[in-house]
Amino acid sequence: MRQLDPQIAQDRKRRVLQWVVQNYIHTSRPIASSIIAEEAGLDLSSATIRSILSELEQEGYLVQPHTSAGRVPTDRGYRFFVDYLENVQRLASGEKEQIEKQYCNRLEELDRVLAHTSRLLSTVSHSAGLVLSPRSEAQGLKRLELIGLGGNRVLAIIVTKAGQVRHWPLQLSFVPNEARLRALNRFLNEHLEGKSIREVRSLLAEQLEQAEREMRELQDFAHTLLGELESAVEPDELFLDGATSVVARAEEFEDTREIHSLVRVLEERKVLADMLQEQFRKQLDAAKAGGAPTVRVMIGGENTLPELKHLSLVTTTYCAGDRLVGLLGILGTKRMEYSRMMSLVEYMGRIVSRSLEAWDVEPEGKPKRIPR
Amino acid sequence: MRQLDPQIAQDRKRRVLQWVVQNYIHTSRPIASSIIAEEAGLDLSSATIRSILSELEQEGYLVQPHTSAGRVPTDRGYRFFVDYLENVQRLASGEKEQIEKQYCNRLEELDRVLAHTSRLLSTVSHSAGLVLSPRSEAQGLKRLELIGLGGNRVLAIIVTKAGQVRHWPLQLSFVPNEARLRALNRFLNEHLEGKSIREVRSLLAEQLEQAEREMRELQDFAHTLLGELESAVEPDELFLDGATSVVARAEEFEDTREIHSLVRVLEERKVLADMLQEQFRKQLDAAKAGGAPTVRVMIGGENTLPELKHLSLVTTTYCAGDRLVGLLGILGTKRMEYSRMMSLVEYMGRIVSRSLEAWDVEPEGKPKRIPR
DNA sequence: ATTAGCAATCAACTGCTTCGACTGCTATTA
DNA sequence: TAATAGCAGTCGAAGCAGTTGATTGCTAAT
């Protein structure tokens, strides 16, 4: 025979690797050379496959659990598989419809949309669904309103442009009557609309020193609200559903200690939320540079959190109006159907973004009721 | 020897059973007669213990996993143990302080208190913590307010007497100016304050037909809000934390199918919430008859949900103001420290009730800041 | 009524063997 | 010289026998 084209050799190797990963994902059993020879349709004998496999192992794409076993992908193997995915598996159009139905174009609050989304991600993927909500601190305000609750109590309500609603009960140091409250409200909205909570904070702290005489109470109020804002800048809110199913499927963990540290991470949320925030920042930068929002996959040990080393994370960004504001995705076994999951996540990102557009668009027509 | 007093015999039996359950809870190993003879301090030989054990087994309090093994409590055994708990294990005062610290007497919204409580229950108990929030439907309103969001959009906000805040964005069929909104607000609050959401619903539906001419818009509004109220009567809200740790500790489950059905119940929440609602109703009735709120324990198969047959549920009611409004508790292995858990749950019930009192009391003084 | 003693049971462990699922190597082939 | 067939080697999984030790139930003695 003539010299084998090295290009063809590479190509063959790639095909084998892909076949191994694909099938390992489905069967969760180590893949043997004979099976590949028989079923992969490469027209090669098992012996040839074996030599290819051993090369792939040397290059770090595969490992053997033990000598007399088939091959299993390493993180690197999965990585290759994901990077060179061909025939991307789209969501079935039935599924799309199912999902779409959940997002009838009804006016909904951001938080409700997000909570719902994380559930949906979880149920469709059979993994954990997660959504990182926008940092409320940075969002522009639409309204800041005070509602009297009797006595010196008021409920401070903030509605952001993206449709997030936050509220804190306050105890003022004076008892405002209705007229006063109204005046306060007007004043606040005139001066604060469009500002971010962060800005509001500094404005309240500084500028209001010079408020008109008759607005003296404002200072008291400002002081109270400031305190609340400070403590109430909630840790970035994370919607997480389906965590239990991830734990339930975690047989493959070597150690029970590993399971428990995973549980801790999933329960405390703080660490997870920080990690996702970091991830969001990265994808934000990438999007600025590259244009369209992309789906990112972190496989096993690629995750910054060691507790997630047996899991993979698939994420994308979503926007409210025209700004990227948050991250959503799924967290599941390394043995997930990457193609489908990536499609799912991408699709959900688009859907969520679209359903959050509504808040910045001018209103029209009657509200639509959803059918049960 | 003289005839053994049957009273003494019963007493001895009880002591043995208690010792078995207690020690099984701690060691999770079947308990052998010899150990009891040596360590329980009953001054009986292992042979005597054995005959006692076999009686207890015949009566259904204990079982043997296999012939040559020690005894393990049945649900009935646990039940006995719980019903005749002596030397109730109080919470360490250090722990109480820890908990107390979390509930500084600050004005907090109901939902935040409850969410926090379920977390706390979970971390202290190392089980799942759960809190069923009051049915917002039945609560009395404190305020119903509309905030204009521009165009025909308003945010409808309901504050209940217990301190729950609910809000829905609405699209009206007309564009209200500020004065109109104010008039609407005044009208609504005058007519609806103190009513429950359920009542509001019927009021809106009927009485407002006869609203003054100039309040014609009200009808439109009412119609819109009605729609929302209908669909937004949220399924009873359930705060649930620590579910993953329950799943992680579920080794003792016979079947993986069992684990998966448990996971489903924990994820979907609906079934769980309904069960807890039912449980709440029962405890409510009991409280009406008996006076003080009590802690209830459901052990394994006693639970109405078959998925929980390997778990135990410890619950109590809490009140907002002077009415019992919700349920809280923990869900964990049958092998839990019942005494401690019951103390914990009872204590948390009291603490939550106390910290929800604030909303009905007349306000006083300056708000307190919590230290970080 | 209690106990000591003893036979019986059975999971858990050990060691041994077989089986078969793989691989890696090597000589052969086209 | 790339691909293959064939074969020896490795090793887990499964099955089996034998041992150990924990624990019981029974019975006869106290």
Side-chain angles (χ1 to χ4, degrees):
Chain A
M1 265 195 194
R2 65 192 176 293
Q3 169 84 9
L4 184 61
D5 184 346
Q7 187 55 48
I8 292 183
Q10 273 314 107
D11 194 60
R12 211 170 53 178
K13 216 149 135 182
R14 208 198 67 220
R15 298 267 287 279
V16 170
L17 179 50
Q18 283 175 332
W19 201 91
V20 170
V21 178
Q22 178 74 59
N23 282 269
Y24 181 69
I25 286 174
H26 276 105
T27 64
S28 82
R29 308 228 170 287
I31 308 296
S33 59
S34 55
I35 300 278
I36 305 177
E38 284 166 28
E39 301 186 4
L42 288 171
D43 268 331
L44 290 174
S45 78
S46 66
T48 315
I49 302 286
R50 274 201 289 283
S51 77
I52 297 177
L53 288 178
S54 97
E55 285 177 49
L56 284 168
E57 178 160 12
Q58 283 206 325
E59 293 164 33
Y61 293 106
L62 299 174
V63 273
Q64 290 180 280
H66 55 264
T67 325
S68 69
R71 276 12 190 248
V72 162
T74 60
D75 285 358
R76 193 165 175 205
Y78 282 114
R79 166 54 59 199
F80 180 91
F81 178 75
V82 168
D83 286 346
Y84 294 85
L85 266 178
E86 37 199 36
N87 52 35
V88 174
Q89 199 185 344
R90 296 283 168 76
L91 291 179
S93 68
E95 263 175 325
K96 280 196 183 178
E97 254 176 57
Q98 278 285 337
I99 294 175
E100 192 105 22
K101 229 188 276 175
Q102 310 267 350
Y103 293 89
C104 50
N105 41 9
R106 197 162 92 99
L107 192 64
E108 275 285 21
E109 276 175 39
L110 184 81
D111 282 354
R112 252 173 257 174
V113 173
L114 299 187
H116 193 195
T117 301
S118 110
R119 289 217 101 192
L120 209 50
L121 277 165
S122 160
T123 54
V124 176
S125 71
H126 298 291
S127 311
L130 38 85
V131 179
L132 195 62
S133 84
R135 312 198 70 143
S136 35
E137 249 200 338
Q139 285 179 58
L141 295 191
K142 190 158 209 142
R143 301 282 302 207
L144 193 166
E145 201 86 6
L146 301 178
I147 297 182
L149 294 178
N152 63 350
R153 292 187 184 161
V154 297
L155 187 71
I157 300 178
I158 286 180
V159 185
T160 71
K161 283 195 172 156
Q164 228 167 359
V165 180
R166 290 273 175 277
H167 40 86
W168 307 269
L170 302 181
Q171 283 190 304
L172 303 180
S173 57
F174 60 97
V175 177
N177 62 24
E178 209 182 315
R180 272 272 172 270
L181 264 186
R182 211 177 313 136
L184 254 173
N185 271 333
R186 185 164 14 224
F187 182 87
L188 288 170
N189 277 297
E190 267 167 26
H191 287 71
L192 304 181
E193 195 177 337
K195 306 275 192 295
S196 75
I197 292 188
R198 209 195 321 262
E199 288 166 332
V200 168
R201 211 149 62 192
S202 43
L203 276 177
L204 282 180
E206 298 160 19
Q207 191 184 347
L208 291 188
E209 297 282 336
Q210 319 144 18
E212 309 136 51
R213 263 320 83 169
E214 66 165 342
M215 274 294 158
R216 171 146 306 279
E217 295 145 353
L218 207 56
Q219 285 183 29
D220 273 325
F221 162 73
H223 188 256
T224 307
L225 182 57
L226 262 177
E228 280 299 328
L229 284 179
E230 199 102 345
S231 72
V233 166
E234 335 220 337
D236 297 309
E237 213 166 340
L238 173 64
F239 297 90
L240 176 64
D241 279 280
T244 48
S245 65
V246 171
V247 173
R249 284 188 219 300
E251 318 98 4
E252 26 207 87
F253 279 45
E254 273 113 59
D255 212 336
T256 41
R257 254 175 280 158
E258 287 189 337
I259 295 195
H260 281 96
S261 61
L262 172 64
V263 166
R264 208 174 318 122
V265 168
L266 293 177
E267 278 306 323
E268 282 185 19
R269 279 143 172 270
K270 174 86 179 75
V271 185
L272 195 59
D274 286 348
M275 183 273 276
L276 291 170
Q277 189 64 43
E278 176 63 28
Q279 182 75 8
F280 173 57
R281 245 203 324 273
K282 279 186 202 152
Q283 289 192 236
L284 201 60
D285 292 346
K288 267 176 198 156
T294 49
V295 175
R296 277 226 185 177
V297 181
M298 304 290 281
I299 297 162
E302 295 175 0
N303 284 297
T304 45
L305 296 180
E307 290 86 351
L308 305 185
K309 73 175 161 198
H310 295 289
L311 303 175
S312 285
L313 178 69
V314 182
T315 53
T316 194
T317 49
Y318 64 87
C319 26
D322 53 353
R323 283 186 44 199
L324 289 179
V325 292
L327 193 77
L328 62 80
I330 63 160
L331 180 68
T333 330
K334 284 198 285 191
R335 283 183 32 246
M336 65 170 67
E337 297 184 76
Y338 288 96
S339 176
R340 238 176 72 82
M341 293 302 116
M342 290 167 73
S343 301
L344 171 64
V345 168
E346 192 206 350
Y347 183 67
M348 292 294 272
R350 281 213 310 274
I351 291 261
V352 168
S353 300
R354 203 189 64 199
S355 96
L356 295 182
E357 265 173 15
W359 277 84
D360 266 352
V361 170
E362 269 317 286
E364 41 170 336
K366 276 212 140 198
K368 287 140 194 143
R369 305 289 350 284
I370 31 166
R372 276 278 181 153
Chain B
M1 271 189 194
R2 65 195 177 291
Q3 169 83 9
L4 183 61
D5 184 347
Q7 188 54 49
I8 292 183
Q10 271 314 105
D11 194 62
R12 211 170 54 178
K13 218 149 136 183
R14 208 199 68 220
R15 298 266 287 279
V16 169
L17 178 51
Q18 283 174 331
W19 202 91
V20 170
V21 177
Q22 179 74 60
N23 282 269
Y24 181 70
I25 286 175
H26 277 106
T27 64
S28 84
R29 305 229 172 288
I31 307 297
S33 58
S34 55
I35 301 277
I36 306 177
E38 283 166 28
E39 300 186 4
L42 288 170
D43 267 332
L44 290 174
S45 78
S46 67
T48 315
I49 301 288
R50 273 201 289 282
S51 78
I52 298 177
L53 287 178
S54 95
E55 284 176 50
L56 285 167
E57 178 160 12
Q58 283 206 324
E59 292 164 34
Y61 293 106
L62 299 174
V63 273
Q64 290 179 279
H66 56 263
T67 325
S68 69
R71 295 324 206 275
V72 162
T74 59
D75 285 358
R76 193 165 174 204
Y78 283 114
R79 166 53 60 199
F80 181 90
F81 179 74
V82 168
D83 285 347
Y84 295 86
L85 264 178
E86 38 198 37
N87 52 34
V88 174
Q89 199 185 346
R90 296 282 167 77
L91 291 180
S93 70
E95 263 176 324
K96 280 196 181 177
E97 253 178 58
Q98 279 285 338
I99 293 175
E100 191 107 21
K101 229 189 274 175
Q102 310 266 352
Y103 291 91
C104 50
N105 41 8
R106 197 161 92 100
L107 193 64
E108 274 286 21
E109 274 174 38
L110 183 82
D111 282 353
R112 254 174 255 174
V113 173
L114 299 187
H116 194 195
T117 300
S118 110
R119 288 215 103 195
L120 210 50
L121 276 166
S122 161
T123 55
V124 176
S125 70
H126 297 291
S127 311
L130 37 85
V131 179
L132 196 62
S133 84
R135 312 198 70 143
S136 34
E137 249 199 339
Q139 284 178 59
L141 295 192
K142 190 161 210 141
R143 302 280 304 204
L144 194 166
E145 202 88 4
L146 302 178
I147 297 182
L149 295 179
N152 63 351
R153 291 187 185 162
V154 297
L155 188 71
I157 299 179
I158 285 180
V159 185
T160 71
K161 284 196 172 156
Q164 228 168 359
V165 180
R166 291 274 176 275
H167 40 85
W168 307 269
L170 303 180
Q171 284 190 304
L172 303 180
S173 56
F174 60 97
V175 177
N177 62 24
E178 210 181 315
R180 272 271 172 271
L181 264 186
R182 211 176 314 137
L184 255 175
N185 271 332
R186 188 168 7 227
F187 182 88
L188 287 170
N189 277 296
E190 267 167 23
H191 287 70
L192 303 180
E193 196 177 335
K195 305 277 193 296
S196 74
I197 293 189
R198 209 195 320 262
E199 288 165 334
V200 168
R201 214 152 57 196
S202 44
L203 276 178
L204 282 180
E206 299 161 18
Q207 191 184 348
L208 291 186
E209 297 282 336
Q210 320 145 19
E212 307 136 52
R213 266 313 91 165
E214 65 166 341
M215 275 293 160
R216 169 146 309 279
E217 295 148 355
L218 207 57
Q219 284 182 31
D220 274 324
F221 162 74
H223 188 256
T224 308
L225 181 58
L226 263 176
E228 281 298 327
L229 283 179
E230 200 103 347
S231 72
V233 167
E234 336 221 335
D236 297 308
E237 213 166 340
L238 173 63
F239 297 91
L240 176 64
D241 279 280
T244 49
S245 65
V246 172
V247 173
R249 285 188 217 302
E251 317 98 4
E252 26 206 88
F253 279 45
E254 273 112 61
D255 212 334
T256 41
R257 254 174 280 157
E258 286 190 338
I259 295 194
H260 281 96
S261 62
L262 172 64
V263 166
R264 207 174 321 122
V265 168
L266 292 177
E267 278 306 323
E268 282 186 19
R269 280 143 170 269
K270 174 85 177 79
V271 186
L272 196 59
D274 286 348
M275 184 272 276
L276 291 170
Q277 189 65 43
E278 177 62 27
Q279 182 76 9
F280 173 57
R281 243 200 328 270
K282 277 184 205 155
Q283 288 190 239
L284 202 60
D285 291 346
K288 266 177 199 156
T294 48
V295 175
R296 278 229 184 173
V297 181
M298 304 291 280
I299 297 163
E302 295 174 1
N303 284 296
T304 43
L305 297 179
E307 291 86 351
L308 305 185
K309 73 175 161 197
H310 295 289
L311 303 176
S312 286
L313 178 70
V314 181
T315 53
T316 194
T317 50
Y318 64 87
C319 28
D322 53 353
R323 280 187 44 200
L324 290 179
V325 292
L327 193 76
L328 61 79
I330 63 162
L331 181 68
T333 332
K334 283 197 286 189
R335 284 185 30 249
M336 65 170 66
E337 298 183 75
Y338 288 95
S339 176
R340 238 176 72 82
M341 294 302 116
M342 289 167 74
S343 300
L344 170 66
V345 167
E346 192 206 350
Y347 183 66
M348 292 294 274
R350 281 213 309 273
I351 291 262
V352 168
S353 300
R354 202 189 65 198
S355 97
L356 294 183
E357 265 172 16
W359 275 84
D360 266 353
V361 170
E362 268 318 287
E364 41 169 337
K366 277 211 140 203
K368 286 139 195 145
R369 304 288 352 285
I370 31 167
R372 275 277 182 157

